[in-house]
Amino acid sequence: MKFNEVLENVTTYEAGKPIELVVREYGVNPKDVIKLASNENPYGTSSKVTAKIQELAKNMFVYPDDSMYELKEALGKKFDVDSSNVIIGSGSDQIIEFCVHAKCEKDSKLLMAKTTFAMYEIYGKQTGAKIIKTESHTHDLAQFLALYKEHGADVIFLCLPNNPLGEAVDTKDVYEFLEQIDSETLVVVDGAYQEYAAYKDENKRIVPKDLITKFSNCIYLGTFSKAYALGGMRVGYGIAQPEIIKTLYKLRAPFNITTLTLAAAIEALKDEEFVTACIAKNFEEMTRYEEYAKSRGFEYIPSYTNFITIKMGDKFVSKEVAQKLLEVGIIVRDLTGYGQNAIRITIGTNEQNTKVFSVLDEVLEKLK
Amino acid sequence: MKFNEVLENVTTYEAGKPIELVVREYGVNPKDVIKLASNENPYGTSSKVTAKIQELAKNMFVYPDDSMYELKEALGKKFDVDSSNVIIGSGSDQIIEFCVHAKCEKDSKLLMAKTTFAMYEIYGKQTGAKIIKTESHTHDLAQFLALYKEHGADVIFLCLPNNPLGEAVDTKDVYEFLEQIDSETLVVVDGAYQEYAAYKDENKRIVPKDLITKFSNCIYLGTFSKAYALGGMRVGYGIAQPEIIKTLYKLRAPFNITTLTLAAAIEALKDEEFVTACIAKNFEEMTRYEEYAKSRGFEYIPSYTNFITIKMGDKFVSKEVAQKLLEVGIIVRDLTGYGQNAIRITIGTNEQNTKVFSVLDEVLEKLK
């Protein structure tokens, strides 16, 4: 059967390997698996969220409230914007999809950093759009601007801070860059890890309301999958001017969010204390990774997120390192597919990280 | 900002009104609201499903198993097909979206019944495709064939049984029709209410494996939102030849299904006894609606589903009837938007239906 031609160039996203797979393939006891490949919050679900899910579990025969009234109100309050500025997606991922499909068709142009969140490109290719990337792996706004002036762009993606590398651009530089972008270009500011960046360095903080007030062509994306510890529930949001939100709504399928997910997100927003505590612990543990890397002679990218990218240099092959770790139940992300001889490790709990350091030493010894 | 031109013609789906809205707008006590607008299973969630959700509720910080290994195995076993024949969606709705986006672009053609599931047309318009409908509101395969011969079609939608009208075509007639369709045309057989139709009349049963073995250009869609009582969890599936499944996968975003949803669906499949009991009660209660309609002089469409479409004739306006019911907390679906002076009522529990009959009598009395 013939399908849309544009799909011929589409590859599917390779998600971090799930615990179940490691158990199935390598016979590791599920309790011994340490999953540090998908930048989840290792401190578990907020107990308030768990209690709410348990309370509602018997109501699953009823469709969700598709108006998402309560969650939109809660997000509106948190960010000091109106409900009409908010759209909820199955992860912020789904808002990325809406943005691309709203703006792009064959031969549209998407501008992004060379190494950034893989879904930007995958959604772009679904529409047949052309992907333009900076030469720099990390965000270099001078390169973004030069390419923009040369080619133009229908959508620009800024991942602040950037996944999978971890770097972050200063907000004042972002704003200077945005001044030079035409109001017809949609700029997606992906803040999936903003809670971490803003905690570490106030200069990296993006305030959604400021952003969309100054730049009506921008949309801010946030997620509950990282600091808010709801990766399994699939929920994120976009904040933009109502003109943009209304159009994205045309691409949203009804009931894109489950009842339990809506309730979990509302509850998670009430427990900011939990989130802040998790972020503080994240950066305490991050210094251990930095020290580990230095002491073993590895370069790393200073990170504003809950993961760290460690370069394997010329002595090791990241793919082999990741594979050896996997076989003993430690799941990290190999960045070979991103053109980097590096591994990306989510910052785990104190205990998990201690084990990672010791097992990594053993693995490196064997691969020498 | 300019967006894709095709979106100008896209309207958003109007979901059945949620209980929360009736509470907010009309001050009805939530416990008194009877929601019979979205064809949910009124007998509640299977207790096995509830228990499983409660057990897993603390694990929400981890992303779902994106391979969906277990649920695909369970569906494969149920339908005697291979995992490679299965794709899971956020409702079967999302598989419809994948099908349309895989086959259609501007000026592609979609063929469907005049009154059928609204999302076929909405997804079609997102791609700029042309929508071709039969003159008959209900499925008339002779009309489908004539239109197919005249215009061709990239995708044909058969809703068996049909939502929102409730009629069903005999499977042997469907197969005869399919014999005459080119293998390049994707035929979507939407079986969202198949469990009901097959229970009522064996002649309406579609066996997915038979369908896709005989016709490699067909995809069968099933859902957990109706008989399986998981409307709030958002999960459905498509069954087709691997060639089709692989292409649809290119349009699937990673982690499109939550962890709790996957677990709930697996559990629901284990509790077929619950499903069968619910379906049996559904048809017992359906006869009460038929008798009610007859005794009040209303025509109705014999239904193979868990809802009934009652025509309001020339004495009443369906929009007014639905509105009056809404104001006292009974939510039904007005079909004016589908060009029908009719209301569609989900078959509720015995108690709910008794109340519907008495309140409807009062409402009709007032509107006389």
Side-chain angles (χ1 to χ4, degrees):
Chain A
M1 185 179 285
K2 275 195 201 108
F3 295 99
N4 263 342
E5 261 181 38
V6 292
L7 293 182
E8 285 166 21
N9 290 320
V10 175
T11 48
T12 46
Y13 177 76
E14 200 190 330
K17 291 183 177 22
I19 290 171
E20 295 85 344
L21 182 140
V22 182
V23 173
R24 283 196 302 272
E25 291 195 5
Y26 303 107
V28 181
N29 186 323
K31 287 187 179 161
D32 294 336
V33 176
I34 298 183
K35 185 181 177 221
L36 299 174
S38 300
N39 308 333
E40 290 136 337
N41 182 331
Y43 301 103
T45 313
S46 147
S47 56
K48 290 181 187 174
V49 170
T50 302
K52 178 56 81 176
I53 291 171
Q54 288 171 335
E55 178 195 330
L56 296 178
K58 65 179 187 306
N59 274 339
M60 289 315 100
F61 63 111
V62 183
Y63 276 94
D65 175 2
D66 199 42
S67 76
M68 306 191 201
Y69 178 86
E70 267 192 82
L71 180 55
K72 288 210 270 184
E73 286 286 307
L75 284 167
K77 204 173 152 199
K78 177 179 166 70
F79 291 112
D80 189 23
V81 297
D82 191 79
S83 281
S84 63
N85 295 115
V86 180
I87 184 167
I88 316 283
S90 176
S92 48
D93 210 283
Q94 193 174 47
I95 319 280
I96 298 168
E97 183 179 2
F98 297 158
C99 289
V100 172
H101 284 265
K103 283 293 285 184
C104 296
E105 51 191 356
K106 222 172 171 174
D107 301 328
S108 295
K109 286 168 194 159
L110 292 186
L111 176 56
M112 65 189 73
K114 182 163 181 177
T115 299
T116 191
F117 187 45
M119 292 310 299
Y120 305 155
E121 179 166 355
I122 292 176
Y123 290 128
K125 284 185 172 170
Q126 287 178 358
T127 69
K130 284 185 181 148
I131 314 296
I132 302 168
K133 294 181 180 181
T134 60
E135 240 184 80
S136 167
H137 282 282
T138 52
H139 282 63
D140 178 323
L141 292 179
Q143 288 189 14
F144 268 85
L145 192 60
L147 287 169
Y148 181 71
K149 287 192 170 157
E150 188 182 345
H151 304 285
D154 297 283
V155 185
I156 298 175
F157 283 100
L158 299 176
C159 194
L160 304 169
N162 187 28
N163 172 22
L165 298 182
E167 90 280 4
V169 182
D170 277 3
T171 302
K172 73 168 174 35
D173 297 333
V174 173
Y175 280 16
E176 269 175 35
F177 169 74
L178 292 174
E179 298 279 2
Q180 304 184 63
I181 303 304
D182 189 274
S183 63
E184 280 299 321
T185 298
L186 178 65
V187 182
V188 178
V189 172
D190 185 343
Y193 298 88
Q194 255 294 312
E195 291 86 357
Y196 296 98
Y199 178 95
K200 184 176 180 180
D201 181 349
E202 199 51 41
N203 294 320
K204 315 291 185 188
R205 182 189 295 278
I206 304 275
V207 177
K209 188 180 181 175
D210 284 358
L211 177 77
I212 69 169
T213 305
K214 285 198 179 80
F215 307 102
S216 65
N217 58 325
C218 283
I219 181 165
Y220 176 89
L221 306 187
T223 184
F224 286 89
S225 301
K226 309 300 177 187
Y228 285 84
L230 292 180
M233 298 302 281
R234 311 304 300 126
V235 54
Y237 50 88
I239 297 176
Q241 293 301 341
E243 179 206 12
I244 295 175
I245 299 294
K246 260 189 211 164
T247 303
L248 301 187
Y249 251 88
K250 292 186 173 191
L251 290 159
R252 186 194 71 97
F255 308 116
N256 59 327
I257 310 293
T258 80
T259 301
L260 294 179
T261 300
L262 289 169
I266 291 163
E267 218 54 32
L269 284 177
K270 292 180 192 161
D271 199 0
E272 296 280 359
E273 221 172 288
F274 168 79
V275 174
T276 309
C278 294
I279 295 174
K281 281 187 271 183
N282 173 72
F283 284 112
E284 268 171 51
E285 291 296 315
M286 176 89 76
T287 58
R288 296 180 68 205
Y289 276 90
E290 293 170 347
E291 282 159 20
Y292 177 88
K294 277 180 210 158
S295 68
R296 303 310 189 264
F298 292 122
E299 281 183 44
Y300 64 88
I301 301 176
S303 170
Y304 293 85
T305 65
N306 67 343
F307 59 82
I308 188 162
T309 297
I310 301 179
K311 299 181 180 183
M312 290 291 104
D314 46 13
K315 283 189 199 137
F316 298 98
V317 178
S318 61
K319 200 172 174 174
E320 289 174 14
V321 175
Q323 177 59 32
K324 287 288 175 204
L325 287 171
L326 188 67
E327 288 168 14
V328 293
I330 295 179
I331 320 176
V332 303
R333 190 71 76 101
D334 165 39
L335 297 187
T336 304
Y338 290 86
Q340 301 259 329
N341 183 34
I343 55 173
R344 188 195 70 182
I345 309 180
T346 305
I347 309 300
T349 61
N350 186 280
E351 192 190 353
Q352 289 176 324
N353 300 331
T354 301
K355 184 158 177 203
V356 168
F357 299 142
S358 97
V359 174
L360 191 48
D361 274 343
E362 286 168 32
V363 162
L364 294 172
E365 185 60 35
K366 277 185 205 151
L367 287 173
K368 237 183 210 171
Chain B
M1 185 179 284
K2 276 194 200 104
F3 296 99
N4 263 342
E5 262 181 38
V6 292
L7 294 182
E8 285 166 22
N9 290 321
V10 176
T11 49
T12 47
Y13 177 76
E14 200 190 331
K17 292 182 178 21
I19 290 172
E20 295 84 345
L21 182 139
V22 182
V23 173
R24 282 195 303 273
E25 291 193 7
Y26 303 105
V28 181
N29 186 322
K31 286 186 180 164
D32 294 335
V33 176
I34 298 183
K35 186 180 177 221
L36 299 175
S38 300
N39 308 333
E40 289 136 337
N41 182 331
Y43 302 103
T45 313
S46 146
S47 57
K48 289 180 187 173
V49 170
T50 302
K52 178 56 81 175
I53 291 172
Q54 288 171 334
E55 177 195 330
L56 296 179
K58 65 180 188 304
N59 275 340
M60 290 313 100
F61 62 111
V62 183
Y63 276 94
D65 176 1
D66 199 42
S67 76
M68 307 190 201
Y69 179 86
E70 268 192 82
L71 180 55
K72 288 210 270 184
E73 287 286 309
L75 284 166
K77 203 173 153 197
K78 178 179 165 69
F79 291 112
D80 189 23
V81 295
D82 190 81
S83 283
S84 63
N85 295 116
V86 180
I87 184 167
I88 316 283
S90 176
S92 48
D93 210 282
Q94 192 173 46
I95 319 281
I96 299 168
E97 185 179 2
F98 297 158
C99 289
V100 172
H101 284 265
K103 283 295 285 185
C104 296
E105 51 190 356
K106 224 171 169 174
D107 302 327
S108 295
K109 286 168 194 157
L110 293 186
L111 176 55
M112 64 189 74
K114 182 164 181 178
T115 299
T116 190
F117 186 45
M119 292 310 300
Y120 306 155
E121 179 166 356
I122 292 176
Y123 290 128
K125 284 185 172 171
Q126 287 178 358
T127 69
K130 285 186 179 143
I131 314 296
I132 303 168
K133 294 180 180 182
T134 61
E135 240 183 78
S136 167
H137 282 282
T138 52
H139 282 62
D140 178 324
L141 292 178
Q143 289 189 15
F144 267 85
L145 192 59
L147 287 169
Y148 181 72
K149 287 192 171 156
E150 188 182 346
H151 303 285
D154 297 284
V155 186
I156 298 175
F157 283 99
L158 300 176
C159 194
L160 305 170
N162 188 27
N163 172 22
L165 298 182
E167 91 280 4
V169 182
D170 277 2
T171 302
K172 73 167 176 36
D173 297 333
V174 173
Y175 280 15
E176 268 175 35
F177 169 75
L178 292 175
E179 298 277 3
Q180 303 183 64
I181 304 303
D182 188 276
S183 63
E184 281 299 319
T185 298
L186 178 65
V187 182
V188 179
V189 172
D190 185 343
Y193 298 87
Q194 255 295 311
E195 290 86 356
Y196 296 98
Y199 178 96
K200 185 176 180 180
D201 182 351
E202 200 51 42
N203 293 321
K204 315 292 185 187
R205 182 189 294 278
I206 305 275
V207 177
K209 188 180 182 176
D210 283 359
L211 178 76
I212 69 168
T213 305
K214 286 198 177 79
F215 307 102
S216 65
N217 59 325
C218 283
I219 181 165
Y220 176 88
L221 305 187
T223 184
F224 285 90
S225 301
K226 308 299 175 188
Y228 285 85
L230 292 181
M233 298 303 279
R234 312 304 301 125
V235 54
Y237 50 87
I239 297 175
Q241 294 301 341
E243 179 206 12
I244 295 175
I245 298 295
K246 261 189 211 166
T247 303
L248 301 187
Y249 250 89
K250 292 186 174 192
L251 290 159
R252 186 194 71 99
F255 307 117
N256 59 328
I257 309 295
T258 80
T259 302
L260 294 178
T261 300
L262 289 170
I266 291 163
E267 220 53 33
L269 284 177
K270 293 180 193 162
D271 199 0
E272 296 280 1
E273 221 170 287
F274 169 79
V275 174
T276 309
C278 293
I279 296 174
K281 281 188 270 183
N282 174 72
F283 284 112
E284 267 172 53
E285 291 296 316
M286 176 90 74
T287 58
R288 297 179 69 205
Y289 276 91
E290 292 170 347
E291 282 158 20
Y292 177 88
K294 277 179 210 157
S295 68
R296 304 309 189 267
F298 293 122
E299 281 182 45
Y300 64 88
I301 301 177
S303 170
Y304 292 85
T305 66
N306 67 342
F307 59 83
I308 187 162
T309 297
I310 301 179
K311 299 181 180 182
M312 290 292 104
D314 47 13
K315 282 187 200 140
F316 298 98
V317 178
S318 62
K319 199 173 176 173
E320 289 173 13
V321 175
Q323 177 59 31
K324 288 287 174 208
L325 287 171
L326 187 67
E327 289 168 13
V328 293
I330 295 179
I331 320 176
V332 303
R333 190 70 74 101
D334 165 40
L335 297 187
T336 304
Y338 290 87
Q340 301 260 329
N341 183 33
I343 54 172
R344 188 196 69 182
I345 310 180
T346 305
I347 309 302
T349 61
N350 186 281
E351 191 190 353
Q352 289 176 325
N353 300 330
T354 301
K355 184 156 178 204
V356 167
F357 300 141
S358 99
V359 174
L360 191 49
D361 273 345
E362 287 169 30
V363 162
L364 294 172
E365 185 60 34
K366 277 184 203 151
L367 287 174
K368 236 183 211 171

